[in-house]
Amino acid sequence: GENVEQHPSTLSVQEGDSAVIKCTYSDSASNYFPWYKQELGKGPQLIIDIRSNVGEKKDQRIAVTLNKTAKHFSLHITETQPEDSAVYFCAASKNTGNQFYFGTGTSLTVIP
Amino acid sequence: DSGVTQTPKHLITATGQRVTLRCSPRSGDLSVYWYQQSLDQGLQFLIQYYNGEERAKGNILERFSAQQFPDLHSELNLSSLELGDSALYFCASSVAVGEPYNEQFFGPGTRLTVL
């Protein structure tokens, strides 16, 4: 089955700095890679996703990059703000099953 | 607000008991997924239903079962509860399965505490 590893487990940055979270996956058949943000007491919220036919995707301050050869993908948050503080999860899935295999999460703290 | 609703929000029960968690997907979504989130295991996929039929199984214990009804809401039944079953249980839904319907939208979760 698929195995998704996520690093780092915790990350603290100063407000305005950038944050990068990295994930690797094991199954080369995985072709969809979403990122979720989970705030305390809430369910995971989709913030950005990327499909295997694309190398990079941006949405305002958030970007995701995918390297299919190396089987890794990363989340980049620029100009971080205190409201970016949350736990971020990466996931991988493939069309045949559609279920998500999640990384173990990164707790991001943005220090004002 | 994702549009996925889950009830109850909190559930406290004793070991050996049985509980039912309920999920209503977003309007129009045919597929429902159940996930368990515990401190030491992260988010683990349990089971998926698509238009009333079971589609995929993950790390779901035999003591757990689920179903999706004709109105597309789903229920997760947990029986013979153990202390280790204490966790957050999330339901997610998607329009369909496969591209381009991969996006899953998560509900707020049910926090289960087994005493």
Side-chain angles (χ1 to χ4, degrees), chain B residues 2-21:
Chain B
S2 67
V4 178
T5 60
Q6 289 186 249
T7 56
K9 194 172 178 62
H10 300 279
L11 200 48
I12 301 174
T13 188
T15 54
Q17 295 297 305
R18 172 188 170 95
V19 297
T20 298
L21 313 183

Side-chain angles (χ1 to χ4, degrees), chain B residues 98-112:
Chain B
E99 290 198 359
Y101 307 110
N102 312 73
E103 294 95 336
Q104 292 181 26
F105 298 89
F106 281 74
T110 292
R111 180 174 292 281
L112 173 67

Side-chain angles (χ1 to χ4, degrees), chain B residues 87-99:
Chain B
L88 270 168
Y89 291 84
F90 287 105
C91 167
S93 72
S94 65
V95 173
V97 293
E99 290 198 359

